[in-house]
Amino acid sequence: QVQLVESGGGVVQAGDSLRLTCAASGRAFSSYAMGWFRQAPGKEREFVAVISWSGGTTVYADSVKGRFTISRLNAKNTVYLQMNSLKPEDTAVYYCAADRNLANPPPRYPSNYDYWGQGTQVTVSS
């Protein structure tokens, strides 16, 4: 069992940066692919970025490519999402998720992920 806790959300202006952190419990963290997903009001949960268990493979949604960076520190059971040049359309609840299968490349679909955090709100004003 893995528990995930996100932090770092907030209210910022367009063009600003935020770094989200996902802290995981459990000794198997280093074997899990990890992902960040987001859900805006009235919309389905969507893929943002994923990273393989080793950190060697990352995949980004086209909408965030070049602006967001996903990374992980297995020694600290932590995964990060650095978000730069934020836009109002990035406003959403951001979720961290873990996939216990050793998939590489890591999957993009929420249904592939086994564990989820409670989410952290990111609001970008224009």
Side-chain angles (χ1 to χ4, degrees), residues 35-83:
W36 285 98
F37 298 81
R38 66 187 182 187
Q39 189 166 17
K43 295 187 176 181
E44 292 188 352
R45 193 166 298 188
E46 66 174 5
F47 153 72
V48 175
V50 292
I51 187 167
S52 62
W53 64 271
S54 67
T57 302
T58 56
V59 185
Y60 296 92
D62 288 343
S63 59
V64 307
K65 201 173 295 183
R67 300 187 298 122
F68 291 11
T69 302
I70 188 171
S71 61
R72 66 189 297 162
L73 192 57
N74 286 344
K76 293 192 174 182
N77 279 18
T78 304
V79 62
Y80 305 97
L81 185 68
Q82 177 67 43
M83 305 186 294

Coordinates of all heavy atoms in Angstrom, one line a residue, residues 35-83:
G35 N 3.0 9.6 -11.7 CA 2.4 10.6 -12.7 C 1.8 11.7 -12.0 O 1.4 11.7 -10.8
W36 N 1.7 12.8 -12.7 CA 0.9 14.0 -12.3 C -0.3 14.1 -13.3 O -0.1 14.0 -14.6 CB 1.7 15.3 -12.3 CG 2.7 15.4 -11.2 CD1 4.0 15.1 -11.2 CD2 2.4 15.8 -9.9 NE1 4.5 15.3 -10.0 CE2 3.6 15.8 -9.1 CE3 1.2 16.3 -9.3 CZ2 3.6 16.2 -7.8 CZ3 1.3 16.6 -7.9 CH2 2.5 16.6 -7.2
F37 N -1.4 14.3 -12.8 CA -2.6 14.5 -13.6 C -3.4 15.7 -13.0 O -3.1 16.1 -11.9 CB -3.6 13.2 -13.5 CG -2.9 12.0 -14.0 CD1 -2.0 11.2 -13.3 CD2 -3.2 11.6 -15.3 CE1 -1.4 10.1 -13.8 CE2 -2.6 10.4 -15.8 CZ -1.7 9.7 -15.1
R38 N -4.3 16.2 -13.8 CA -5.1 17.4 -13.3 C -6.5 17.3 -13.8 O -6.8 16.6 -14.8 CB -4.4 18.7 -13.8 CG -4.5 18.9 -15.3 CD -3.7 20.1 -15.7 NE -3.7 20.4 -17.1 CZ -3.0 21.3 -17.7 NH1 -2.1 22.1 -17.0 NH2 -3.1 21.5 -19.0
Q39 N -7.3 18.0 -13.0 CA -8.8 18.0 -13.3 C -9.3 19.4 -13.1 O -9.3 19.9 -11.9 CB -9.5 16.9 -12.5 CG -10.9 16.7 -12.9 CD -11.6 15.5 -12.4 OE1 -11.1 14.9 -11.4 NE2 -12.7 15.0 -12.9
A40 N -9.8 20.0 -14.1 CA -10.5 21.3 -14.0 C -12.0 21.1 -13.8 O -12.5 20.0 -14.2 CB -10.2 22.1 -15.3
P41 N -12.7 22.1 -13.3 CA -14.1 21.9 -13.0 C -14.9 21.6 -14.3 O -14.7 22.2 -15.4 CB -14.5 23.3 -12.5 CG -13.3 23.8 -11.9 CD -12.2 23.3 -12.8
G42 N -15.7 20.5 -14.3 CA -16.5 20.2 -15.4 C -15.7 19.4 -16.5 O -16.3 19.1 -17.5
K43 N -14.5 19.0 -16.2 CA -13.7 18.3 -17.2 C -13.2 17.0 -16.6 O -13.1 16.8 -15.4 CB -12.5 19.2 -17.7 CG -12.9 20.4 -18.4 CD -11.7 21.1 -19.0 CE -12.0 22.3 -19.9 NZ -10.9 23.0 -20.4
E44 N -12.8 16.1 -17.5 CA -12.2 14.8 -17.1 C -10.8 15.0 -16.6 O -10.1 16.0 -17.0 CB -12.3 13.8 -18.2 CG -13.7 13.4 -18.6 CD -13.7 12.3 -19.6 OE1 -12.6 11.9 -20.1 OE2 -14.8 11.7 -19.9
R45 N -10.4 14.1 -15.8 CA -9.0 14.1 -15.3 C -8.1 13.8 -16.5 O -8.3 12.9 -17.3 CB -8.8 13.0 -14.2 CG -7.5 13.2 -13.5 CD -7.5 12.3 -12.2 NE -8.5 12.7 -11.3 CZ -8.6 12.2 -10.1 NH1 -7.8 11.3 -9.6 NH2 -9.6 12.6 -9.3
E46 N -7.0 14.6 -16.6 CA -6.1 14.5 -17.8 C -4.7 14.3 -17.4 O -4.2 14.8 -16.3 CB -6.3 15.7 -18.7 CG -5.8 17.0 -18.1 CD -5.8 18.1 -19.1 OE1 -6.3 18.0 -20.3 OE2 -5.3 19.2 -18.8
F47 N -4.0 13.7 -18.2 CA -2.5 13.4 -18.1 C -1.8 14.7 -18.2 O -2.0 15.5 -19.1 CB -2.1 12.4 -19.1 CG -0.7 12.5 -19.6 CD1 0.3 12.0 -18.8 CD2 -0.4 12.9 -20.9 CE1 1.6 12.0 -19.2 CE2 0.9 13.0 -21.3 CZ 1.9 12.5 -20.5
V48 N -0.8 14.9 -17.3 CA 0.1 16.1 -17.4 C 1.5 15.6 -17.7 O 2.2 16.0 -18.6 CB 0.1 16.9 -16.1 CG1 1.1 18.0 -16.1 CG2 -1.3 17.4 -15.8
A49 N 2.1 14.7 -16.8 CA 3.4 14.2 -17.0 C 3.6 13.0 -16.2 O 3.0 12.8 -15.1 CB 4.4 15.3 -16.5
V50 N 4.5 12.1 -16.7 CA 4.7 10.8 -16.0 C 6.2 10.5 -16.0 O 6.9 11.1 -16.9 CB 4.0 9.6 -16.6 CG1 2.5 9.8 -16.4 CG2 4.2 9.5 -18.1
I51 N 6.7 9.7 -15.1 CA 8.1 9.4 -15.0 C 8.3 8.0 -14.6 O 7.5 7.4 -13.8 CB 8.8 10.4 -14.0 CG1 10.3 10.2 -14.0 CG2 8.2 10.2 -12.6 CD1 11.0 11.3 -13.2
S52 N 9.3 7.3 -15.2 CA 9.5 5.9 -15.0 C 10.1 5.7 -13.6 O 10.5 6.7 -12.9 CB 10.4 5.3 -16.0 OG 11.7 6.0 -16.0
W53 N 10.1 4.4 -13.1 CA 10.6 4.2 -11.8 C 12.0 4.6 -11.6 O 12.4 5.1 -10.5 CB 10.5 2.7 -11.5 CG 11.4 1.8 -12.4 CD1 11.1 1.3 -13.6 CD2 12.8 1.4 -12.1 NE1 12.2 0.6 -14.1 CE2 13.2 0.7 -13.2 CE3 13.6 1.6 -11.1 CZ2 14.5 0.1 -13.3 CZ3 14.9 1.1 -11.1 CH2 15.3 0.4 -12.3
S54 N 12.9 4.6 -12.6 CA 14.2 5.0 -12.5 C 14.4 6.5 -12.7 O 15.5 7.1 -12.4 CB 15.1 4.3 -13.5 OG 14.8 4.7 -14.8
G55 N 13.4 7.2 -13.2 CA 13.6 8.6 -13.6 C 14.1 8.8 -15.0 O 14.3 9.9 -15.5
G56 N 14.5 7.7 -15.7 CA 15.1 7.8 -17.0 C 14.2 8.1 -18.1 O 14.7 8.5 -19.2
T57 N 12.9 7.9 -17.9 CA 12.0 8.2 -19.0 C 10.9 9.1 -18.4 O 10.3 8.9 -17.4 CB 11.3 6.9 -19.5 OG1 12.3 6.0 -20.0 CG2 10.3 7.2 -20.6
T58 N 10.7 10.2 -19.2 CA 9.6 11.2 -18.8 C 8.8 11.4 -20.1 O 9.3 11.4 -21.2 CB 10.2 12.5 -18.3 OG1 11.0 13.0 -19.3 CG2 10.9 12.3 -17.0
V59 N 7.5 11.6 -19.9 CA 6.6 11.9 -20.9 C 5.7 13.1 -20.5 O 5.2 13.1 -19.4 CB 5.7 10.7 -21.3 CG1 4.8 11.0 -22.5 CG2 6.6 9.4 -21.5
Y60 N 5.4 14.0 -21.4 CA 4.6 15.2 -21.1 C 3.5 15.3 -22.1 O 3.5 15.0 -23.2 CB 5.5 16.4 -21.2 CG 6.6 16.5 -20.2 CD1 7.9 16.0 -20.5 CD2 6.4 17.0 -18.9 CE1 8.9 16.0 -19.6 CE2 7.4 17.0 -18.0 CZ 8.7 16.5 -18.4 OH 9.7 16.6 -17.4
A61 N 2.4 15.9 -21.5 CA 1.3 16.3 -22.4 C 1.8 17.5 -23.3 O 2.6 18.3 -22.8 CB 0.1 16.8 -21.6
D62 N 1.3 17.5 -24.5 CA 1.7 18.6 -25.4 C 1.4 20.0 -24.8 O 2.2 20.9 -25.0 CB 1.0 18.5 -26.7 CG 1.4 17.3 -27.6 OD1 2.5 16.8 -27.3 OD2 0.7 16.9 -28.5
S63 N 0.4 20.1 -24.0 CA 0.0 21.4 -23.5 C 1.0 22.0 -22.4 O 1.0 23.2 -22.2 CB -1.4 21.3 -22.9 OG -1.4 20.4 -21.8
V64 N 1.8 21.1 -21.9 CA 2.8 21.5 -20.9 C 4.2 21.4 -21.3 O 5.1 21.8 -20.5 CB 2.5 20.8 -19.5 CG1 1.0 21.0 -19.1 CG2 2.9 19.4 -19.6
K65 N 4.4 20.7 -22.4 CA 5.8 20.4 -22.8 C 6.6 21.7 -23.0 O 6.1 22.7 -23.5 CB 5.8 19.7 -24.2 CG 7.0 18.9 -24.5 CD 6.8 18.1 -25.7 CE 5.8 17.0 -25.5 NZ 5.6 16.1 -26.7
G66 N 7.8 21.7 -22.4 CA 8.6 22.9 -22.4 C 8.4 23.9 -21.3 O 9.2 24.8 -21.1
R67 N 7.3 23.7 -20.5 CA 7.0 24.6 -19.4 C 7.1 23.8 -18.1 O 7.5 24.4 -17.0 CB 5.6 25.2 -19.5 CG 5.5 26.0 -20.8 CD 4.1 26.7 -20.8 NE 3.0 25.8 -20.8 CZ 2.0 25.8 -19.8 NH1 2.1 26.6 -18.8 NH2 1.0 24.9 -19.9
F68 N 6.7 22.5 -18.1 CA 6.7 21.7 -16.8 C 7.8 20.7 -16.9 O 8.2 20.2 -17.9 CB 5.4 21.0 -16.7 CG 4.1 21.9 -16.4 CD1 4.2 23.2 -16.5 CD2 2.9 21.3 -16.1 CE1 3.1 24.0 -16.3 CE2 1.8 22.0 -15.8 CZ 1.9 23.4 -15.9
T69 N 8.3 20.4 -15.7 CA 9.3 19.3 -15.6 C 9.0 18.4 -14.4 O 8.8 18.9 -13.3 CB 10.7 19.9 -15.3 OG1 11.0 20.8 -16.4 CG2 11.8 18.8 -15.3
I70 N 8.9 17.1 -14.7 CA 8.7 16.1 -13.7 C 10.0 15.5 -13.3 O 10.9 15.3 -14.1 CB 7.7 15.0 -14.1 CG1 7.3 14.1 -12.9 CG2 8.2 14.3 -15.3 CD1 6.1 13.2 -13.3
S71 N 10.2 15.3 -12.0 CA 11.4 14.6 -11.5 C 11.1 13.9 -10.3 O 10.0 14.0 -9.7 CB 12.5 15.7 -11.2 OG 12.1 16.6 -10.2
R72 N 12.0 13.0 -9.8 CA 11.8 12.2 -8.6 C 13.1 12.0 -7.9 O 14.2 12.0 -8.5 CB 11.2 10.9 -9.0 CG 12.1 9.9 -9.8 CD 11.3 8.7 -10.2 NE 10.8 7.9 -9.1 CZ 9.8 7.0 -9.2 NH1 9.2 6.8 -10.4 NH2 9.4 6.3 -8.2
L73 N 13.0 11.9 -6.6 CA 14.1 11.6 -5.7 C 13.8 10.3 -4.9 O 13.1 10.4 -3.9 CB 14.4 12.8 -4.8 CG 15.7 12.8 -4.1 CD1 16.9 12.6 -5.0 CD2 15.9 14.0 -3.3
N74 N 14.2 9.2 -5.4 CA 13.8 7.9 -4.8 C 14.3 7.8 -3.3 O 13.6 7.2 -2.5 CB 14.2 6.7 -5.6 CG 13.4 6.6 -6.9 OD1 12.3 7.1 -7.0 ND2 13.9 5.8 -7.8
A75 N 15.4 8.4 -3.0 CA 15.9 8.3 -1.7 C 15.0 9.0 -0.7 O 15.1 8.8 0.5 CB 17.3 8.9 -1.6
K76 N 14.2 10.0 -1.2 CA 13.3 10.7 -0.3 C 11.8 10.4 -0.6 O 10.9 11.1 -0.1 CB 13.5 12.2 -0.4 CG 14.9 12.7 0.1 CD 14.9 14.2 0.2 CE 16.2 14.7 0.8 NZ 16.3 16.1 1.0
N77 N 11.6 9.4 -1.4 CA 10.2 9.0 -1.7 C 9.4 10.2 -2.2 O 8.2 10.4 -1.7 CB 9.5 8.3 -0.5 CG 9.9 6.9 -0.3 OD1 10.9 6.4 -0.9 ND2 9.1 6.2 0.5
T78 N 10.0 10.9 -3.1 CA 9.3 12.2 -3.5 C 9.4 12.3 -5.0 O 10.3 12.0 -5.7 CB 10.0 13.4 -2.8 OG1 10.0 13.2 -1.4 CG2 9.3 14.7 -3.1
V79 N 8.3 12.9 -5.5 CA 8.2 13.3 -6.9 C 7.8 14.7 -7.0 O 7.0 15.2 -6.2 CB 7.3 12.3 -7.7 CG1 5.9 12.4 -7.2 CG2 7.4 12.6 -9.2
Y80 N 8.3 15.4 -8.0 CA 8.1 16.9 -8.1 C 7.5 17.2 -9.5 O 7.7 16.5 -10.5 CB 9.4 17.6 -8.0 CG 10.2 17.4 -6.7 CD1 11.2 16.4 -6.7 CD2 9.9 18.0 -5.5 CE1 11.9 16.2 -5.5 CE2 10.6 17.7 -4.4 CZ 11.6 16.8 -4.4 OH 12.3 16.5 -3.2
L81 N 6.8 18.3 -9.5 CA 6.4 18.9 -10.8 C 6.7 20.4 -10.7 O 6.1 21.1 -10.0 CB 4.9 18.7 -11.0 CG 4.4 19.1 -12.4 CD1 5.0 18.3 -13.5 CD2 2.9 19.1 -12.5
Q82 N 7.8 20.8 -11.5 CA 8.1 22.2 -11.6 C 7.3 22.8 -12.7 O 7.4 22.3 -13.9 CB 9.6 22.3 -11.9 CG 10.1 23.8 -12.1 CD 9.9 24.6 -10.8 OE1 10.3 24.2 -9.7 NE2 9.4 25.8 -11.0
M83 N 6.5 23.8 -12.4 CA 5.6 24.4 -13.4 C 6.1 25.9 -13.6 O 6.0 26.7 -12.7 CB 4.2 24.4 -12.9 CG 3.7 22.9 -12.6 SD 2.0 22.8 -12.2 CE 1.9 23.8 -10.7

